[in-house]
């Protein structure tokens, strides 16, 4: 199985400040079709996960442009330019390249300081 | 906007079969991949597997041969069956659209395994 390792696991951030979450995979996520299936999900308290970013850097419709994804191979990052109160929740990376099984990171809990 | 809604018993006895249905609205289940994911209380996300109406399936090896997912085009829904459940199968179960990059998710349904 591909192991996805996120850091940090807890991220206290001041409103208006930037935040960054790292996700590392135990093997390259470049698929034989040339795509890199690395996704980011946000799970607000009491809600189901919502996809924010797909294939490393593509933002989903309706996702604020303060969210951005980057990276390649085994090293990926989710950045939030200026954290807002509605960004509180748990963020997961997920790889869809090597399966079964598709695998998730442990989750990073973002809170407001 | 695509909508997915999970339904099924909220309580299942140990050793019995967990059965859930995901009703899909505003898009046909034909020609797409449909996924189940679960989340034990207070824990992270675990991929269960996916299916398509052409018979394609893939399951998490950790669930061994206990799991099956099927698609019903006549009802525009898909289903999960997990056999021989234990307390470790207690979780919120989510259905989702997509395979390598699930984009639409249901609200989730809590299934508790207890006698």
């Amino acid at each position: 199985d591909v192991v996805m390792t996120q850091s940090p696991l807890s991220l206290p951030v001041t409103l208006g400040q930037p935040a960054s979450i790292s996700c590392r995979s135990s093997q390259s996520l470049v698929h034989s079709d040339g795509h890199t299936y690395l996704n980011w999900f946000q799970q607000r308290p009491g809600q189901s996960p919502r996809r924010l970013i797909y294939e490393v850097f593509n933002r989903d419709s309706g996702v604020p442009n303060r969210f951005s994804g980057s990276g390649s191979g085994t090293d990926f990052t989710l950045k939030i330019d200026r954290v807002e109160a509605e960004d509180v929740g748990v963020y997961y990376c997920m790889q869809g390249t090597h399966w079964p099984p598709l695998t998730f990171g442990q989750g990073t809990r973002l809170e407001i300081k | 906007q695509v909508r997915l809604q999970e339904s099924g018993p909220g309580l299942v006895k140990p050793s019995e079969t967990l059965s859930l249905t995901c009703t899909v609205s505003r898009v046909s289940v034909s020609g797409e991949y449909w996924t189940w994911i679960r989340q034990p209380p207070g824990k992270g996300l675990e991929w269960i597997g996916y299916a398509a109406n052409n018979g394609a399936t893939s399951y998490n090896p950790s669930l061994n041969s206990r799991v099956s997912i099927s698609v019903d085009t006549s009802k525009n829904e898909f289903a999960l069956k997990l056999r021989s459940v234990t307390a470790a199968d207690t979780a919120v179960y989510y259905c989702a659209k997509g395979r390598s990059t699930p984009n639409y998710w249901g609200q989730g349904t809590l299934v508790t395994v207890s006698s």
Side-chain angles (χ1 to χ4, degrees), chain B residues 91-103:
Chain B
V92 175
Y93 286 76
Y94 296 100
C95 59
K97 174 180 174 289
R99 182 179 60 176
S100 294
T101 176
N103 52 354

Side-chain angles (χ1 to χ4, degrees), chain A residues 39 43 51 94 96 99 102, chain B residues 39 50 59 94 99-101 106:
Chain A
N39 312 296
Q43 187 174 31
R51 196 180 71 181
M94 187 211 98
W99 45 268
L102 279 69
Chain B
Q39 184 172 36
Y50 72 73
Y59 303 126
Y94 296 100
R99 182 179 60 176
S100 294
T101 176

Side-chain angles (χ1 to χ4, degrees), chain B residues 9-30:
Chain B
L11 181 63
V12 180
K13 289 183 167 54
S15 81
E16 295 191 342
T17 296
L18 180 160
S19 296
L20 295 175
T21 298
C22 182
T23 302
V24 180
S25 304
R26 301 175 189 171
V27 70
S28 172
V29 295
S30 297

